[in-house]
Amino acid sequence: MNNSIMHNKTIADIIAGLDAGEFTSVEITQHYLKRIQQLDSTYNSYITINEASALAQAEAADKRRAEGNAPAFCGVPIAHKDIFCTNGVRTSCGSKMLDNFVPPYDATVVENFARAGAVILGKTNMDEFAMGSSNETSFYGPVKNPWDTNTVPGGSSGGSATAVAAHLAPGATATDTGGSIRQPAALCGITGLKPTYGRVSRWGMIAFASSLDQGGPMAHTAEDCALMLNIMAGFDPKDSTSIDRDVPDYTENLNQSLEGLKVGVPKEYFDEGLNPGTEKAVRDALAELEKQGATLVSISLPHSKLAVPAYYVIAPAEASANLSRFDGSRYGYRCEDPKDLRDMYMRTRGEGFGDEVKRRILVGAYCLSAGYYDAYYRKAQQARRLIKQDFVDAFETVDVIMGPTAPSPAFEFGAKGKDPVAMYLEDIYTIATNLAGLPGMSVPCGFVDNKPVGLQIIGNYFDESQMLNVAHQFQQTTDWHKQAPEGIEIGGAE
Amino acid sequence: MTIERADIEKLAELARIEINEATIAETTQSIADVLALVDQLQAADTEGVEPMAHPSDAVQRLRADEVTESNHRDDFQAIAPATEAGLYLVPKVID
Amino acid sequence: MEWETVIGLEVHAQLATKSKIFSGASTTFGAEPNTQACAIDLGMPGTLPVPNEQAFRYAIMFGLAIDAEIAKTSVFDRKNYFYPDLPKGYQTTQLDKPIVGPGHVEIELADGSKKSIRIHHAHLEEDAGKSLHEASFEINGHGMSGIDLNRAGTPLVEIVSEPDMSNSEEAVAFAKKLHGIVTSLGICDGEMSQGSMRFDVNISVRRPGEELGTRTETKNLNSFRFMEDAIALEVERQIDLIEDGGRVIQETRLYNGDTKQARSMRSKEEANDYRYFPCPDLLPVVFDDDYIESIRKDLPELPDTRHDRFVEQYGLSSYDANILSGDASMAQYFETAAKASGDTKLTANWMIGELSARLNAADLSIKHSPLSAEQLAGMIARITDGTISSKMAKQVFDGLWNGDGDADSIIEAKGLKQVSDSGAIEALVDEVIANSDKQVDNFRNADESKRPKMLGYFVGQIMKASKGQANPQQVNEILLKKLNDLL
């Protein structure tokens, strides 16, 4: 068997290969671990590499398979975003605050993959507490985009996106609060899916903004995302916001024809802020879907402009409370020799959090403070309802909504460093779906200057199957998702 | 909405975050920029719109009153900055 | 100068659930530090709350008991502040949409008058942990406090009254009434010494006709007596302050029951800004009419109903019934003792008199009474059947209080048996008459109307001779007969 192309396999390929006995889990796990050792010093996509435990898991998986007792992901190596708590493995959330934090419990998502027999290669890099769109806010340094190491991979799940794009893992878990799965997927040329709010348990997923956060998969193909979502999705009694609703087999509808599909194309998603190259790639993708039998319907989401301002009230407000627990008392960072209680709080939080996290906590505190609550927080919540209603109305007439994932391809490090607002506009097309709680995907759909472009697909509530079907069909007639960055040897098809 | 250094100092105190002297001007400016962005909300007509706290319309499930947790103090305190006699130690609390 | 006092109460009652409000950790009191604090209670990253249905059921029971509207939809909010006993840096509570809306309770005062006290609302929230300041922990020369989070997450119902009370008697009566209601409902164990019920008292004073004065809040009073003392102290302080030309500032005060003094808590430069907002980890809690009605149907007997029953069934005065019916344990004690002794009146008298006085002096609740209802009943039965006199019963009561056994064995051991043998008593009477020539002469020569008063001497002598054990009623009868025979 040819090791040089082992990392070219999709998750579906790996499962088939393991099933057919073409290779063992130990072999493929060793292969990925070796690649990570060799290449990740360039990309910095992992914060923690689980060499020993991954091999132990792979051995156990091979044994289970030999016993004829293999669950769905038996022996499949993946990576977890370092926001998911992993029992006995440091979970930093990209922050100095949790640099020494080794939780004695697993996130439900982590538990689900463990039960499915997955092998965990390591924990991926991310913007600190998932706050960022470029991965530049990580305490562990920025992640490099494998398509151009002078550019950002997007964020906050930039580590997971890069690990997949650089073939340092066939798939990775991630989270999306305002675009943190879809935007890095777009910038790194991979496929990513943010499920409906409540579809994937948030237990053990370190909270940024509780009413917006949602875990989801990142992989090369829609099919792999479907396979991962099969493991991730489901009701969890430990999460009050988890929805008790049957989980379909997300691979079931992948092969349905798109004949008769109504695609809503919101005019607000093709405004002046959109890079012309990105627009062209997206329009071409829409044309490709038309060829497959879909009908494009021009729609309007009239309150789209409110999404970014509403988000930058609601997310920081929730974050300001969610991050209060990091106070140096019970776990994580504590400042050196505090002289009194106030000193411990002020310095622990002043030193333990990075600038962007501090900025958002302060903005959140401001929006909730006496005299400003109605003008900011309440107003943002009202805008949130208007934004949701736009989508509800649109889904009366269309099956899916499509547009660009990000306004432009990957930008250079530091390009938006001094101006938080410029960075916030990166998520201009993705934020609304989080506010509404809708599922969204990003699918590779072309290149601008050799940098990937993502097509965003927004589905109706709990209709991940339809999104995946559209994405999969698109990937049957296009090969954008099969491209690899220069320097990443992926070999030819077997 | 203008925001000044004194406002930031007050917020920093509320949020218990030390802002060092060297960066406070920059912090003030960047927060002013963010607030200018969110101020776009003020133009929205939200008259009579019910605020929305959750994306779903679901209602809360309630748990049966059962003790399901056992003592894992040692596991939790193994990762604590300072403990003694089973207690978490923090600088003296004065009311 | 006349002053009016205006008092409002905020009462925290720990709900008697087995597990915490948002986690499955135990709420048992007195465990080793932090052994009942699970990942959720500790505010570990990524953990999430799921509310306990029983906490809601109990809060609804309370709401129904005070005739309040139950919210069909209630919402949890986060109240943000930093304190080491508050692991998440916010308390999950209810601000705008509490589970229990406005209600009222009626209190009865010593003069028999009644007053209705309005309740603004009652809401559910989580308790905080405890900071142990007394421990001498130290790191690098800095004094440290120890934090025990076992109590963190214990469900509380916070009951907020309107400022409807105008003196400490009313405030205490109101507090006792609430104590009676929650213990009768069985939703709170009412153990004030363990902090199961804690009272914050808002106090202001004004001259009649003036607007409300500035109020202060005295926090965490955990006994009725402390509450009474703390109110008296604070009212006096405020009046003195104003009469001396000063002014009351809004502040939180701490009362120390040992020193009987109060002090202002560290003054806060600026008012707290709690930045309340709806908790995004929890969804609105919704109940329908059927659910609420099913709870109403199963409500246990409440103090007011029990009061009326006690008057009717046991022939108690309204005042006595009030004392005995208010607290669930007191009521249960009474009914058990009354049934066992067969004399409700005497049982009521002993409970309201001697037993209450002793319990108060020892700062004990009836639940922790050293003598059981059965033991008290045993003593009362011996009074009723004439074995002991009421006076001798005091000694028996002492014995029961001290744990010397049941009434019969104490009577036996102390030789307290009343002499009811008429032969023996006759002999004593004869003896005293024989030795009291002068008094007998006086009796004989006295006007008939004055004779009854002269019996006292003879009775005293006879009781003395019998070492107090002669049945006084028999002594009276026999003495009178013998003296009359001498006329």
Side-chain angles (χ1 to χ4, degrees):
Chain A
M1 98 137 276
N2 185 348
N3 267 352
S4 71
I5 56 166
M6 212 168 198
H7 54 266
N8 186 30
K9 295 179 187 307
T10 64
I11 289 170
D13 294 338
I14 292 170
I15 293 170
L18 289 167
D19 276 348
E22 287 170 24
F23 48 85
T24 64
S25 175
V26 169
E27 282 169 339
I28 193 161
T29 299
Q30 276 171 336
H31 178 74
Y32 274 108
L33 287 170
K34 203 170 132 204
R35 275 184 68 79
I36 294 166
Q37 294 296 354
Q38 285 170 343
L39 300 172
D40 203 44
S41 55
T42 306
Y43 304 117
N44 196 27
S45 66
Y46 282 86
I47 291 173
T48 303
I49 302 160
N50 299 343
E51 185 150 3
S53 63
L55 285 171
Q57 288 161 0
E59 276 171 32
D62 284 335
K63 196 164 159 249
R64 285 177 82 175
R65 192 172 289 278
E67 287 162 358
N69 178 25
F73 263 57
C74 191
V76 178
I78 59 157
H80 283 307
K81 184 176 181 179
D82 208 18
I83 199 169
F84 290 100
C85 287
T86 39
N87 193 344
V89 176
R90 187 257 305 265
T91 301
S92 74
C93 221
S95 182
K96 177 180 179 181
M97 188 62 92
L98 293 178
D99 184 43
N100 62 359
F101 177 62
V102 181
Y105 49 91
D106 274 330
T108 297
V109 162
V110 171
E111 221 172 74
N112 288 348
F113 273 110
R115 199 176 305 117
V119 171
I120 309 307
L121 296 167
K123 307 288 297 287
T124 59
N125 204 343
M126 57 183 285
D127 277 302
E128 184 180 10
F129 285 102
M131 297 179 192
S133 304
S134 67
N135 232 293
E136 291 167 293
T137 72
S138 171
F139 173 64
Y140 301 92
V143 179
K144 309 275 174 67
N145 189 321
W147 292 91
D148 176 351
T149 52
N150 293 316
T151 66
V152 305
S156 67
S157 310
S160 288
T162 291
V164 173
H167 294 261
L168 303 178
T173 59
T175 60
D176 190 316
T177 306
S180 281
I181 289 176
R182 291 159 290 161
Q183 184 256 9
L187 269 50
C188 289
I190 62 162
T191 306
L193 185 151
K194 175 203 107 68
T196 309
Y197 183 81
R199 181 79 288 188
V200 170
S201 170
R202 295 187 300 112
W203 172 267
M205 192 176 102
I206 298 176
F208 160 15
S210 310
S211 79
L212 300 160
D213 296 342
Q214 189 62 199
M218 295 180 110
H220 288 287
T221 65
E223 184 185 17
D224 284 1
C225 285
L227 288 167
M228 286 182 73
L229 190 58
N230 278 348
I231 309 298
M232 295 177 83
F235 173 62
D236 183 0
K238 291 196 282 192
D239 174 1
S240 290
T241 61
S242 170
I243 305 288
D244 191 357
R245 189 180 165 119
D246 285 345
V247 180
D249 176 350
Y250 290 108
T251 61
E252 215 161 48
N253 292 333
L254 291 177
N255 292 314
Q256 276 183 16
S257 153
L258 301 188
E259 197 66 52
L261 181 81
K262 287 201 197 114
V263 178
V265 184
K267 62 176 199 281
E268 292 82 3
Y269 285 23
F270 293 87
D271 59 5
E272 70 271 22
L274 181 60
N275 174 296
T278 299
E279 174 164 5
K280 182 173 186 309
V282 172
R283 296 253 186 229
D284 289 350
L286 293 172
E288 174 61 32
L289 290 167
E290 258 185 314
K291 264 194 254 168
Q292 292 196 24
T295 312
L296 304 187
V297 182
S298 181
I299 61 165
S300 173
L301 301 169
H303 296 97
S304 293
K305 283 245 180 312
L306 297 178
V308 170
Y311 177 88
Y312 279 97
V313 171
I314 292 168
E318 293 184 11
S320 71
N322 281 335
L323 272 62
S324 290
R325 66 190 61 200
F326 305 107
D327 64 3
S329 295
R330 300 168 309 286
Y331 47 78
Y333 180 71
R334 176 185 287 192
C335 69
E336 198 70 34
D337 197 22
K339 68 178 199 299
D340 57 31
L341 186 65
R342 182 180 171 282
D343 185 45
M344 180 183 82
Y345 285 151
M346 298 295 283
R347 279 203 289 130
T348 295
R349 293 166 59 77
E351 295 162 11
F353 291 136
D355 289 343
E356 182 60 24
V357 171
K358 285 189 265 196
R359 177 156 47 234
R360 295 204 196 184
I361 291 173
L362 295 176
V363 167
Y366 180 81
C367 294
L368 291 172
S369 62
Y372 297 106
Y373 181 92
D374 284 350
Y376 289 102
Y377 187 74
R378 191 165 189 281
K379 188 91 177 172
Q381 283 204 324
Q382 290 174 311
R384 187 174 189 180
R385 187 172 296 280
L386 295 174
I387 290 160
K388 175 180 175 171
Q389 195 56 46
D390 282 355
F391 283 108
V392 171
D393 293 345
F395 280 116
E396 295 280 316
T397 52
V398 301
D399 301 311
V400 290
I401 293 170
M402 289 195 198
T405 305
S408 57
F411 47 91
E412 291 191 358
F413 289 102
K416 304 184 181 187
K418 287 277 174 213
D419 182 2
V421 172
M423 188 70 83
Y424 295 174
L425 294 175
E426 262 301 294
D427 294 327
I428 190 161
Y429 305 127
T430 47
I431 271 175
T433 52
N434 296 81
L435 291 168
L438 287 163
M441 279 187 83
S442 183
V443 179
C445 71
F447 290 87
V448 177
D449 302 332
N450 202 36
K451 294 181 187 120
V453 174
L455 167 72
Q456 184 174 208
I457 308 171
I458 299 167
N460 208 340
Y461 292 101
F462 294 99
D463 210 357
E464 286 82 2
S465 285
Q466 177 144 51
M467 280 188 336
L468 285 161
N469 167 225
V470 175
H472 181 71
Q473 289 306 306
F474 180 71
Q475 291 180 341
Q476 298 312 295
T477 58
T478 59
D479 65 357
W480 307 113
H481 61 288
K482 292 182 180 164
Q483 309 299 313
E486 213 172 301
I488 304 289
E489 292 278 329
I490 61 167
E494 278 172 280
Chain B
M1 190 63 57
T2 54
I3 189 150
E4 288 163 9
R5 184 194 164 107
D7 300 314
I8 299 299
E9 283 170 347
K10 210 173 110 192
L11 288 174
E13 187 64 38
L14 265 184
R16 299 288 190 279
I17 290 177
E18 187 174 75
I19 306 280
N20 63 49
E21 195 52 40
T23 60
I24 191 149
E26 196 184 318
T27 305
T28 306
Q29 184 55 50
S30 72
I31 287 175
D33 290 346
V34 176
L35 292 174
L37 170 77
V38 305
D39 262 335
Q40 291 171 20
L41 277 176
Q42 306 313 326
D45 178 9
T46 55
E47 182 78 30
V49 178
E50 180 67 18
M52 177 176 143
H54 294 283
S56 71
D57 300 322
V59 300
Q60 181 63 49
R61 262 176 302 109
L62 300 172
R63 207 184 81 237
D65 182 24
E66 285 161 6
V67 175
T68 53
E69 297 290 336
S70 50
N71 174 20
H72 291 287
R73 184 176 77 183
D74 292 347
D75 295 337
F76 293 125
Q77 297 203 339
I79 54 169
T83 60
E84 197 172 320
L87 298 161
Y88 290 97
L89 292 193
V90 299
K92 204 157 205 85
V93 177
I94 307 151
D95 282 320
Chain C
M1 178 59 76
E2 285 270 316
W3 288 96
E4 269 177 20
T5 304
V6 178
I7 300 172
L9 257 62
E10 287 169 26
V11 182
H12 290 90
Q14 284 184 345
L15 296 174
T17 55
K18 295 199 270 292
S19 64
K20 296 198 176 163
I21 185 165
F22 297 123
S23 83
S26 170
T27 55
T28 312
F29 180 82
E32 283 291 300
N34 291 308
T35 55
Q36 291 181 172
C38 72
I40 296 169
D41 307 324
L42 294 171
M44 299 301 283
T47 61
L48 295 168
V50 182
N52 184 338
E53 180 179 4
Q54 190 71 358
F56 275 94
R57 187 174 281 274
Y58 284 166
I60 292 170
M61 285 170 76
F62 176 75
L64 294 173
I66 62 160
D67 223 1
E69 184 142 334
I70 306 303
K72 299 279 169 54
T73 299
S74 65
V75 169
F76 283 110
D77 297 286
R78 291 182 179 178
K79 177 183 183 181
N80 294 286
Y81 65 96
F82 286 89
Y83 206 73
D85 64 13
L86 188 72
K88 298 187 296 296
Y90 57 82
Q91 181 192 30
T92 308
T93 177
Q94 299 184 312
L95 180 70
D96 286 333
K97 294 181 178 168
I99 180 69
V100 176
H104 59 90
V105 300
E106 200 165 69
I107 56 170
E108 184 169 342
L109 303 168
D111 65 4
S113 66
K114 290 183 175 179
K115 186 171 179 178
S116 178
I117 307 294
R118 292 169 301 156
I119 287 170
H120 181 271
H121 78 271
H123 64 259
L124 280 168
E125 62 183 26
E126 55 184 340
D127 208 344
K130 285 179 181 167
S131 307
L132 305 174
H133 310 299
E134 57 268 49
S136 57
F137 301 123
E138 227 183 68
I139 295 179
N140 294 342
H142 299 305
M144 306 297 275
S145 290
I147 308 297
D148 175 9
L149 295 169
N150 280 349
R151 197 179 69 175
T154 299
L156 294 176
V157 62
E158 179 174 341
I159 304 156
V160 180
S161 87
E162 297 285 359
D164 284 354
M165 289 148 278
S166 46
N167 55 50
S168 63
E169 189 202 353
E170 290 179 9
V172 171
F174 175 68
K176 284 186 173 168
K177 185 68 180 242
L178 290 182
H179 187 268
I181 291 171
V182 298
T183 54
S184 298
L185 291 170
I187 65 172
C188 173
D189 68 16
E191 294 291 353
M192 301 188 26
S193 61
Q194 295 178 4
S196 293
M197 237 180 144
R198 315 192 288 268
F199 300 90
D200 300 344
V201 188
N202 290 306
I203 302 169
S204 66
V205 298
R206 64 172 167 190
R207 294 191 163 97
E210 283 183 355
E211 284 188 20
L212 283 177
T214 305
R215 66 192 167 93
T216 63
E217 183 179 27
T218 304
K219 273 186 115 62
N220 272 333
L221 300 166
N222 66 352
S223 89
F224 297 125
R225 199 190 311 159
F226 287 172
M227 196 169 139
E228 198 170 340
D229 294 349
I231 291 172
L233 192 69
E234 179 58 12
V235 169
E236 193 184 314
R237 187 189 72 88
Q238 290 190 13
I239 292 174
D240 286 352
L241 197 61
I242 299 170
E243 288 184 343
D244 289 349
R247 121 193 126 76
V248 176
I249 55 162
Q250 193 167 342
E251 63 181 349
T252 302
R253 300 181 64 81
L254 271 186
Y255 177 78
N256 183 328
D258 297 331
T259 62
K260 296 199 182 301
Q261 286 182 331
R263 64 174 172 88
S264 178
M265 282 173 78
R266 189 175 45 167
S267 70
K268 281 153 193 142
E269 290 289 299
E270 48 197 273
N272 273 323
D273 184 346
Y274 291 123
R275 290 156 287 139
Y276 285 96
F277 75 106
C279 179
D281 284 329
L282 294 163
L283 302 171
V285 184
V286 176
F287 295 108
D288 60 19
D289 285 324
D290 289 351
Y291 186 89
I292 295 166
E293 287 314 307
S294 74
I295 293 176
R296 191 195 301 276
K297 217 170 60 217
D298 293 339
L299 277 188
E301 187 180 44
L302 286 162
D304 285 348
T305 321
R306 191 159 51 218
H307 169 272
D308 296 348
R309 180 168 66 81
F310 278 15
V311 170
E312 180 128 326
Q313 183 178 341
Y314 299 115
L316 299 179
S317 72
S318 177
Y319 184 78
D320 287 359
N322 195 37
I323 294 173
L324 295 174
S325 67
D327 180 277
S329 305
M330 182 78 105
Q332 197 188 5
Y333 194 106
F334 167 70
E335 295 211 81
T336 307
K339 216 158 276 169
S341 72
D343 189 330
T344 50
K345 199 82 195 170
L346 207 50
T347 304
N349 288 344
W350 274 92
M351 282 186 66
I352 292 167
E354 192 67 18
L355 181 61
S356 291
R358 292 290 190 96
L359 290 171
N360 275 339
D363 207 6
L364 287 174
S365 73
I366 186 94
K367 261 180 148 174
H368 298 108
S369 167
L371 71 160
S372 69
E374 288 77 6
Q375 288 175 320
L376 182 68
M379 183 195 88
I380 289 166
R382 291 296 158 267
I383 301 173
T384 318
D385 71 11
T387 308
I388 52 171
S389 65
S390 291
K391 205 168 170 194
M392 289 153 77
K394 289 246 158 94
Q395 290 182 63
V396 178
F397 188 95
D398 282 344
L400 292 172
W401 183 270
N402 295 329
D404 297 342
D406 64 13
D408 287 340
S409 56
I410 292 166
I411 290 167
E412 187 69 43
K414 294 197 176 175
L416 291 174
K417 213 159 211 144
Q418 182 166 257
V419 178
S420 301
D421 172 351
S422 53
I425 292 174
E426 264 180 62
L428 284 169
V429 173
D430 289 342
E431 189 189 324
V432 168
I433 290 176
N435 293 331
S436 308
D437 291 346
K438 197 174 150 217
Q439 284 80 3
V440 172
D441 280 346
N442 286 346
F443 183 84
R444 209 181 271 140
N445 297 331
D447 188 76
E448 195 176 333
S449 66
K450 295 205 172 144
R451 280 182 191 147
K453 278 196 179 167
M454 304 176 78
L455 289 174
Y457 163 80
F458 294 99
V459 173
Q461 291 299 309
I462 296 161
M463 293 307 285
K464 200 171 158 188
S466 77
K467 298 191 180 88
Q469 293 181 11
N471 181 326
Q473 214 175 330
Q474 277 179 300
V475 168
N476 267 324
E477 280 167 20
I478 294 168
L479 176 66
L480 206 58
K481 186 169 167 287
K482 297 236 173 205
L483 284 174
N484 283 335
D485 287 349
L486 294 174
L487 290 176

